[in-house]
Amino acid sequence: MKKFWFLLSLFVLMIASATVSASAVTNGVVKVGLYYGSNSLYSANAQVVTGLGEGFELGYYDEERQFVSLGYIEENSVSVTPDGSIAYGKDGEITSGSGQTVLGGWHVQLPEWYDDFDAAQQAAADCDGYVACVDGVFYVRVGSYESERDAVTEAMEVGGTVVGPSATGVTVTARAEQRILFQFDYKGWYDFALQACRSGNESPQTWFKAKKYYGGFQYRRVSGSNSLYVYSVVGLEDYIKCVVPYEMSNSWPLEALKAQAICARTYVTRVGERHSKYGFDVCNSEDCQVYFGVDFQYNDHTTVSDEAVEATAGLCMYYEGKPIYAVYSASNGGASE
């Protein structure tokens, strides 16, 4: 055991910089794949954690992973679904099959266009419509018709044009009310994203699949299909705070947790492009590092593991100027000897 801690101490002494390599973690932001490939989703819910946020900012992440806000909605519980008809089951939740009620995939787009979300939102309120952002231009749309014919009839009355389902767009709906809030379509150039708005001094958090997360969410529409890849987009240090409690028990000494934090930070820096074909850095399982947001199984994570992460903020292990391949395991049968 003494030999183990001695080796770890040598590694820590190799820390050469407090700046993480930009080759994997872009601008201090990590993109974690939650659902993708065969596990992609038809619809994804998001709910602001009460007391830690208020409403959602709607937008996208640019090439530097900076969140570009298009507008704000007051709803705290929303669903994101590929553009098209949306069916609701008996439980009131969106289903990929047939449902009790349906929001049709045909809409009427009014002729006026707007430079910003707020102006379009005000106009939409006057006609019981909603805002659509298409290639950066804002429009007002009304209705959700199941057939093009019904949409054409409405368009003739209000003077708009008919728009049908898009192969690259997504629709944001209010979960409780089953109504459209926003539609987004950048023709595949940008993926829709949202993040909870801060309402107090603490970082806002969002519920997703019964877990709480820092940061925002990105939704990649698999072009031409009715499925979404869902990514957690989070600051590096918040990401490490969410990894450490699942990779090492808080009953271990603080110095061990610090070493774990440095390993986890170095690992994501080195292998951050492992899943680039899916559009993210690392997954959330043991295949990379366990990451289930901030909904920890340990109640004392904020006083122990967070302290370890904060005490080592920005520190990685380097060899010849590059982050080492900092793999680790719960048990390796003595192989490290």
Side-chain angles (χ1 to χ4, degrees):
M1 182 60 72
K2 289 183 178 180
K3 187 176 182 180
F4 173 76
W5 291 116
F6 175 72
L7 290 172
L8 276 180
S9 298
L10 287 179
F11 276 129
V12 173
L13 288 174
M14 292 166 57
I15 295 170
S17 172
T19 303
V20 176
S21 170
S23 63
V25 181
T26 304
N27 284 334
V29 177
V30 182
K31 190 182 294 185
V32 187
L34 304 181
Y35 287 85
Y36 57 95
S38 60
N39 292 322
S40 59
L41 300 177
Y42 170 66
S43 183
N45 298 330
Q47 181 174 333
V48 177
V49 175
T50 303
L52 296 179
E54 188 65 41
F56 285 105
E57 289 283 345
L58 311 175
Y60 60 90
Y61 287 97
D62 65 15
E63 292 80 1
E64 300 301 319
R65 295 192 182 170
Q66 298 298 308
F67 184 81
V68 179
S69 177
L70 296 174
Y72 165 78
I73 57 174
E74 296 180 350
E75 281 76 8
N76 288 327
S77 183
V78 301
S79 298
V80 181
T81 310
D83 189 20
S85 295
I86 302 174
Y88 291 85
K90 294 180 180 180
D91 58 359
E93 293 293 334
I94 293 174
T95 174
S96 58
S98 59
Q100 299 289 307
T101 58
V102 175
L103 288 176
W106 293 90
H107 320 282
V108 176
Q109 183 169 290
L110 301 185
E112 293 81 9
W113 58 273
Y114 305 87
D115 290 325
D116 61 81
F117 178 90
D118 291 340
Q121 184 79 311
Q122 183 175 355
D126 295 335
C127 60
D128 196 25
Y130 45 89
V131 178
C133 181
V134 182
D135 286 339
V137 180
F138 297 91
Y139 299 92
V140 173
R141 292 177 177 176
V142 296
S144 53
Y145 307 96
E146 293 187 52
S147 70
E148 184 179 9
R149 177 184 297 179
D150 292 339
V152 168
T153 300
E154 179 67 16
M156 293 175 64
E157 294 183 8
V158 301
T161 57
V162 173
V163 291
S166 166
T168 53
V170 298
T171 298
V172 181
T173 55
R175 290 183 63 191
E177 302 173 32
Q178 298 181 3
R179 63 183 177 90
I180 297 175
L181 299 171
F182 181 68
Q183 292 188 314
F184 176 95
D185 191 359
Y186 261 78
K187 309 302 181 183
W189 289 104
Y190 290 109
D191 299 320
F192 175 69
L194 57 75
Q195 62 181 17
C197 296
R198 184 187 300 271
S199 64
N201 294 326
E202 295 186 57
S203 297
Q205 298 175 15
T206 303
W207 284 106
F208 173 66
K209 293 289 185 181
K211 295 180 176 63
K212 293 181 288 187
Y213 292 87
Y214 292 123
F217 290 87
Q218 184 176 7
Y219 305 86
R220 170 162 292 185
R221 172 82 184 271
V222 182
S223 182
S225 72
N226 288 324
S227 60
L228 297 170
Y229 291 177
V230 182
Y231 312 143
S232 169
V233 185
V234 61
L236 175 60
E237 296 306 315
D238 282 338
Y239 167 77
I240 300 301
K241 287 181 179 180
C242 296
V243 168
V244 171
Y246 281 112
E247 293 289 2
M248 179 177 285
S249 170
N250 282 332
S251 64
W252 282 47
L254 178 61
E255 295 306 310
L257 291 166
K258 289 180 181 179
Q260 175 62 59
I262 293 172
C263 283
R265 190 181 294 107
T266 306
Y267 179 85
V268 71
T269 302
R270 172 67 182 271
V271 299
E273 298 178 340
R274 181 175 183 179
H275 293 283
S276 59
K277 70 176 182 178
Y278 288 114
F280 59 85
D281 301 325
V282 288
C283 63
N284 64 341
S285 71
E286 293 88 348
D287 186 49
C288 292
Q289 297 184 128
V290 178
Y291 170 79
F292 295 144
V294 297
D295 193 29
F296 298 116
Q297 55 186 312
Y298 304 110
N299 293 327
D300 60 346
H301 72 93
T302 56
T303 59
V304 181
S305 60
D306 278 9
E307 181 182 351
V309 175
E310 291 168 1
T312 63
L315 300 182
C316 292
M317 294 177 283
Y318 293 81
Y319 179 71
E320 294 185 346
K322 296 181 180 180
I324 70 169
Y325 186 43
V327 293
Y328 54 89
S329 63
S331 176
N332 61 10
S336 61
E337 293 288 349

